Amino acid sequence: MKFTACYTKLEDGYMGQLLEWPNVITSGKDLDECEEMLKDAAREMAIVYYEDNDEIPHLPFAVKPISIEIEKEALLANVC
């Protein structure tokens, strides 16, 4: 199966999560370790789903980067 991984930079490494299977989430000290931990977490989660007779989620969605212009003045105007 193929999934889409999303990584977030943390102070001490990276957090990884599968977009199609949001319950699979982990972290690692660098991207390579995080990816390996994510794969391991998915395999472990698949075992649990299999034992519980649940289907592995594979949500259909599209991923597309978008640009959003945000004016600094607008942000400052909303600060209390």
Side-chain angles (χ1 to χ4, degrees), residues 26-68:
T26 191
S27 62
K29 65 182 178 195
D30 56 36
L31 280 173
D32 290 334
E33 180 179 284
C34 191
E35 181 177 329
E36 289 306 312
M37 297 291 287
L38 201 53
K39 289 177 182 179
D40 186 56
R43 286 189 287 266
E44 293 295 322
M45 191 73 95
I47 291 168
V48 172
Y49 273 59
Y50 177 77
E51 289 173 348
D52 291 344
N53 292 317
D54 291 332
E55 278 191 44
I56 294 173
H58 200 272
L59 307 175
F61 65 92
V63 176
K64 179 184 174 193
I66 62 171
S67 296
I68 302 172

